[in-house]
């Protein structure tokens, strides 16, 4: 009897041990298999999206360079330019699919996204469209200046492609040739001063592609960071060259450009000093840095425009009735946006708290241990699956809550697009130069607010973080949140790039590329796709119905505004092709489309 008791006790002990060990092994294997399967599924989806996205961008490049040659003539420099564009894009098209994974696995880039390296051609293409937007002959000084800007930007894109190949460890033997080509092009097609300047910028950008992802991990993909640096370098080249030398503008517009550029330089410099000096630990110290830079900027502006800057700004605004009307509209929309954002943020936080699982919902692993020791081994093996089934039910509940929150977030973000659409359309119709001034100043404010949030400046950093986290999605995984800044930049890029914003009485069509791509196209694609979308594009969640609705809505906007005399359309074919291709890019890209789509559409709208 005693021996039977000890045998049963030993058997109970080993059965318990067997049960818990099986659960542990089962969970570990399931977790590993789940992670590997998820990673494999993500890789397949990313590769599929990247394949179609690269094909669309190659079609964009082919159409635009062909159009440029047909417009400007079969000159050797135009043919050589087209050859460089197409060769660069073709190499990326055939090599990124096999080698993109090595770059995506760099821990400092945003995970579960393609590299987006194909988009390095967008900024040179936009400048190429700007050259066409000038509407001038090949022999004019303005075209030669813009032609130099295109080559400078193209040389930088070659350097960025070389950087990508070095990280992907492909074509290693040809990398020195690519670098030599990237540094040599400015010496062939621009002045020595511009060539030296571009060489310095190329080195800075090469080093920045290493330092910026390390300082701001998971905030960028390779392509997004490359586009941002290209835009900054293009802006810096114009500043060094002098805006009045690039575009022929009058004295008032020159003062306007001095004001905008000084504001942006001052804000950027002050933010960099705050980050590097560590003064962000104190609100007083942070404010002191920005106030000192504001004072220095006012003194500098006074020396350049020969007026008191603030008095000049007030006089500039109240000089025109449309500007006063726009100022009132901007203030009202800002007030509505702030109130709406606060309400939505509070509601989102409440929903997030409610979606968290309670302790009672968590499956208890040890609740059945004593009963299981009195069952045979087959019962124990069947019981091993029970916790995983309970866990899967809990996870499904959490997934449904997260999916509902994600859907609400998408709807909320698209409402932001509508808000900003109500700001930009009146601005473009009434006074594009005032909209240019406003967008530059608001962009500077966005930089200050985002830096304060990311650096957690006392008193305001936590408040800003709580509000913004209610509106971020999976693309804002890094230290800085960039989608809202990209939205403002995407809508404003046509104003910042096009020379016609300062010279044309009626806003030209290319200034509407941000409004069309983001305010109308992206918003309608989301609404229509969620409402009646059924057929999905290969490898993506976007629907064909959403894309078709986006294209039709943009074409309808162009048709209505042009028929009413608000817009002038030179080529409906080019506009239609551009809207269709930008809609396809929106469907297939996994980059932040707020930055990409306006650059895709812009050169098609240039007349």
């Amino acid at each position: 009897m005693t021996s039977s008791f000890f045998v049963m006790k030993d058997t109970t002990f080993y059965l318990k041990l067997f049960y818990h060990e099986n659960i542990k092994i089962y969970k570990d294997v399931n977790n590993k298999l789940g992670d590997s399967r998820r990673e494999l599924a993500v890789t397949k989806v990313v590769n599929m999206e990247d394949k179609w996205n690269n094909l669309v961008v190659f079609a964009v490049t082919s159409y635009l360079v062909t159009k440029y040659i047909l417009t400007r003539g079969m000159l050797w420099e135009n043919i050589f330019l087209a050859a460089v564009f197409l060769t660069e894009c073709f190499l990326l098209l055939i090599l990124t699919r096999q080698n993109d994974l090595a770059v995506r696995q760099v821990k400092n880039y945003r995970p579960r996204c393609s590299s987006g390296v194909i988009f390095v051609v967008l900024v040179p293409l936009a400048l190429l469209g700007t050259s066409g937007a000038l509407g001038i002959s090949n022999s004019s000084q303005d075209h030669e200046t813009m032609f130099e800007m295109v080559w400078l930007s193209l040389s930088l894109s070659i350097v960025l492609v070389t950087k990508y190949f070095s990280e992907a460890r492909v074509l290693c033997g040809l990398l020195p040739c690519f670098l030599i080509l990237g540094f040599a092009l400015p010496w062939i097609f621009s002045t020595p001063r511009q060539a030296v300047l571009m060489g310095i910028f190329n080195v800075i950008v090469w080093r920045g592609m290493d330092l910026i992802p390390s300082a701001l991990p998971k905030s960028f993909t390779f392509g997004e960071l490359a586009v941002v640096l290209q835009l900054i370098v293009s802006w810096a080249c114009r500043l060094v060259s002098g805006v009045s030398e690039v575009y022929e503008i009058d004295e008032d517009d020159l003062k306007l450009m001095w004001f905008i550029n000084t504001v942006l330089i001052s804000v950027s410099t002050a933010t960099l000093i705050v980050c590097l000096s560590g003064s962000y630990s104190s609100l007083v110290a942070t404010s002191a840095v920005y106030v000192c830079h504001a004072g220095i900027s006012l003194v500098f502006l006074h020396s350049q425009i020969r007026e008191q800057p603030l008095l000049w700004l007030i006089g500039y605004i109240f000089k025109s009735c449309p500007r006063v009307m726009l100022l009132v509209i901007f203030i009202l929309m800002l007030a509505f946006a702030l109130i709406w954002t606060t309400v939505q943020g509070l509601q989102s936080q409440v929903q997030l708290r409610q979606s968290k699982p309670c302790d009672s919902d968590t499956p208890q692993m040890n609740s059945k241990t004593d009963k299981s020791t009195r069952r045979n081994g087959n019962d124990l093996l069947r019981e091993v699956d029970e916790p995983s089934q309970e866990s899967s039910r809990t996870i499904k509940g959490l997934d449904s809550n997260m999916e509902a929150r994600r859907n609400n977030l998408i709807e909320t973000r698209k409402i932001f697009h509508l808000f900003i659409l109500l700001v930009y359309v009146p601005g473009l119709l009434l006074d594009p130069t005032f909209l240019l001034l406003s967008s530059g100043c608001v962009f500077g404010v966005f930089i200050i607010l985002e830096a304060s949030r990311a650096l957690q400046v006392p008193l305001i950093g936590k408040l800003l973080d709580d509000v913004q986290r209610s509106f971020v999605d999976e693309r804002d995984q890094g230290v800085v949140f960039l989608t809202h800044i990209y939205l403002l930049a995407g809508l404003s890029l046509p104003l910042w790039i096009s020379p016609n914003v300062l010279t044309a009485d009626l806003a030209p069509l290319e200034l509407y590329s941000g409004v069309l791509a983001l305010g109308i196209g992206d918003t309608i694609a989301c609404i229509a796709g969620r409402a009646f979308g059924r057929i999905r594009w290969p490898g993506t969640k976007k629907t064909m119905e959403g894309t078709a609705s986006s294209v039709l809505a943009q074409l309808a906007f162009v048709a209505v505004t042009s028929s009413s005399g608000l817009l002038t359309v030179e080529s409906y074919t080019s506009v239609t092709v551009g809207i269709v291709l930008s809609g396809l890019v929106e469907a297939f890209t996994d980059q932040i489309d707020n930055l990409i789509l306006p650059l895709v559409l812009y050169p098609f709208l240039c007349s």
Side-chain angles (χ1 to χ4, degrees):
M1 186 71 177
T2 305
S3 61
S4 299
F5 171 77
F6 285 110
V7 169
M8 289 181 64
K9 186 175 181 181
D10 291 342
T11 303
T12 301
F13 171 78
Y14 285 114
L15 285 173
K16 286 182 178 182
L17 180 64
F18 172 79
Y19 175 77
H20 289 294
E21 288 298 321
N22 269 280
I23 289 179
K24 182 178 179 182
I25 294 171
Y26 185 88
K27 289 183 65 180
D28 290 344
V29 171
N30 263 345
N31 289 336
K32 291 178 181 179
L33 287 175
D35 291 341
S36 62
R37 287 169 181 166
R38 281 193 295 271
E39 190 64 32
L40 181 60
V42 169
T43 301
K44 288 182 178 179
V45 170
V46 169
N47 287 340
M48 179 67 72
E49 291 178 343
D50 202 32
K51 167 189 172 182
W52 291 104
N53 181 70
N54 291 350
L55 287 172
V56 175
V57 176
F58 184 76
V60 169
T61 306
S62 303
Y63 181 90
L64 290 174
V65 297
T66 303
K67 177 185 174 183
Y68 185 82
I69 290 178
L70 295 177
T71 303
R72 296 293 177 180
M74 299 291 290
L75 303 177
W76 74 269
E77 59 265 26
N78 294 339
I79 296 175
F80 185 54
L81 179 71
V84 173
F85 265 116
L86 293 175
T87 302
E88 180 182 26
C89 203
F90 182 72
L91 284 175
L92 293 174
L93 178 66
I94 62 175
L95 294 176
T96 51
R97 288 189 62 194
Q98 293 83 7
N99 303 282
D100 207 40
L101 183 60
V103 179
R104 292 205 309 267
Q105 289 177 340
V106 176
K107 62 180 181 180
N108 291 326
Y109 291 128
R110 191 167 67 246
R112 297 187 175 185
C113 289
S114 64
S115 67
V117 64
I118 194 78
F119 293 120
V120 298
V121 300
L122 291 185
V123 176
L125 287 175
L127 295 177
L128 194 68
T130 301
S131 176
L134 292 174
I136 48 183
S137 62
N138 289 323
S139 59
S140 67
Q141 181 63 36
D142 288 341
H143 178 264
E144 291 180 2
T145 303
M146 283 309 306
F147 197 68
E148 290 179 5
M149 297 292 294
V150 173
W151 277 111
L152 293 176
S153 181
L154 189 58
S155 71
L156 179 57
S157 72
I158 294 174
V159 172
L160 288 167
V161 170
T162 307
K163 178 65 177 176
Y164 170 83
F165 286 152
S166 67
E167 292 186 1
R169 302 184 185 279
V170 61
L171 298 180
C172 296
L174 297 178
L175 295 185
C177 300
F178 292 151
L179 273 180
I180 292 173
L181 178 63
F183 280 87
L185 287 178
W187 290 95
I188 301 174
F189 295 100
S190 64
T191 62
R193 189 184 75 166
Q194 291 276 19
V196 172
L197 179 66
M198 201 62 210
I200 297 173
F201 283 145
N202 285 339
V203 174
I204 293 174
V205 168
W206 181 281
R207 187 58 181 153
M209 292 297 294
D210 293 324
L211 296 179
I212 295 177
S214 299
L216 305 173
K218 299 182 180 180
S219 299
F220 302 92
T221 63
F222 185 98
E224 291 168 3
L225 181 57
V227 170
V228 169
L229 291 177
Q230 284 176 296
L231 291 170
I232 293 174
V233 168
S234 176
W235 172 62
C237 286
R238 296 188 189 192
L239 287 181
V240 174
S241 301
V243 179
S244 60
E245 296 181 12
V246 178
Y247 310 130
E248 294 182 0
I249 57 179
D250 57 26
E251 185 178 356
D252 289 338
D253 291 334
L254 185 60
K255 291 179 181 180
L256 176 69
M257 297 306 298
W258 271 115
F259 189 91
I260 297 173
N261 291 323
T262 303
V263 168
L264 293 178
I265 292 174
S266 177
V267 168
S268 302
T269 306
T271 303
L272 187 61
I273 291 176
V274 167
C275 295
L276 297 179
S277 64
S279 58
Y280 54 83
S281 58
S282 169
L283 178 61
V284 176
T286 302
S287 303
V289 173
Y290 283 108
V291 169
C292 289
H293 275 77
I296 295 172
S297 300
L298 290 175
V299 173
F300 174 77
L301 275 174
H302 187 273
S303 66
Q304 295 298 322
I305 66 177
R306 305 300 179 183
E307 294 183 49
Q308 212 288 330
L310 295 180
L311 293 178
W312 172 85
L313 179 62
I314 295 173
Y316 177 82
I317 294 174
F318 288 93
K319 185 179 180 179
S320 169
C321 289
R323 290 173 189 167
V324 177
M325 292 174 55
L326 286 175
L327 182 62
V328 173
I329 293 174
F330 294 168
I331 293 174
L332 290 176
M333 293 306 302
L334 178 62
F336 282 126
L338 288 176
I339 295 172
W340 182 80
T341 300
T342 304
V343 173
Q344 290 294 320
L346 293 175
Q347 292 179 354
S348 178
Q349 290 179 6
V350 172
Q351 292 175 359
L352 187 60
R353 293 192 192 100
Q354 293 175 350
S355 65
K356 291 182 179 179
C358 301
D359 293 337
S360 59
D361 295 333
T362 305
Q364 301 295 325
M365 301 294 294
N366 298 323
S367 60
K368 301 183 181 181
T369 302
D370 294 335
K371 295 181 181 179
S372 65
T373 57
R374 291 192 290 269
R375 300 177 185 177
N376 57 32
N378 291 330
D379 294 333
L380 287 171
L381 288 175
R382 282 195 299 270
E383 205 168 85
V384 168
D385 290 334
E386 292 182 9
S388 64
Q389 293 172 1
E390 295 176 8
S391 299
S392 65
R393 286 193 293 270
T394 303
I395 291 172
K396 288 179 180 179
L398 291 176
D399 287 343
S400 63
N401 291 335
M402 293 302 294
E403 184 65 22
R405 181 176 178 272
R406 182 176 181 274
N407 292 336
N408 292 333
L409 178 61
I410 292 174
E411 295 173 358
T412 301
R413 293 167 71 97
K414 296 311 173 186
I415 293 177
F416 271 115
H417 286 228
L418 295 177
F419 269 124
I420 207 163
L421 185 66
L422 295 176
V423 170
Y424 271 75
V425 171
L428 289 171
L429 293 175
L430 295 177
D431 196 330
T433 56
F434 182 65
L435 183 61
L436 173 65
L437 172 63
S438 304
S439 64
C441 294
V442 173
F443 188 76
V445 173
F446 272 30
I447 293 176
I448 296 174
L449 294 178
E450 181 56 29
S452 301
R453 185 210 63 81
L455 297 172
Q456 288 295 291
V457 175
L459 298 181
I460 61 174
K462 182 65 168 58
L463 177 62
L464 292 171
D465 190 66
D466 290 340
V467 173
Q468 290 196 31
R469 284 191 183 276
S470 303
F471 301 98
V472 299
D473 58 9
E474 66 277 1
R475 297 175 297 179
D476 285 318
Q477 303 179 26
V479 178
V480 293
F481 298 157
L482 295 172
T483 50
H484 63 293
I485 297 179
Y486 285 161
L487 177 60
L488 176 64
L491 287 160
S492 305
L493 275 175
L495 296 167
W496 300 345
I497 295 176
S498 176
N500 290 332
V501 68
L502 299 174
T503 57
D505 296 329
L506 185 66
L509 182 59
E510 68 265 16
L511 298 186
Y512 287 84
S513 58
V515 169
L516 286 170
L518 300 178
I520 298 175
D522 192 24
T523 305
I524 295 298
C526 176
I527 296 173
R530 290 167 55 81
F532 51 84
R534 295 294 181 270
I535 307 174
R536 299 188 183 277
W537 291 105
T540 178
K541 295 181 179 180
K542 306 292 180 65
T543 64
M544 295 184 182
E545 293 87 348
T547 302
S549 301
S550 168
V551 170
L552 292 176
Q554 294 178 72
L555 291 175
F557 179 86
V558 172
V560 170
T561 51
S562 62
S563 61
S564 59
L566 299 176
L567 284 177
T568 301
V569 180
E570 297 291 338
S571 172
Y572 280 97
T573 301
S574 181
V575 171
T576 304
V577 172
I579 289 175
V580 170
L581 290 178
S582 66
L584 292 176
V585 170
E586 189 274 335
F588 290 114
T589 186
D590 56 0
Q591 312 294 294
I592 298 180
D593 51 12
N594 292 344
L595 177 68
I596 300 300
L597 295 184
L599 287 173
V600 174
L601 183 57
Y602 174 84
F604 289 93
L605 306 185
C606 293
S607 56

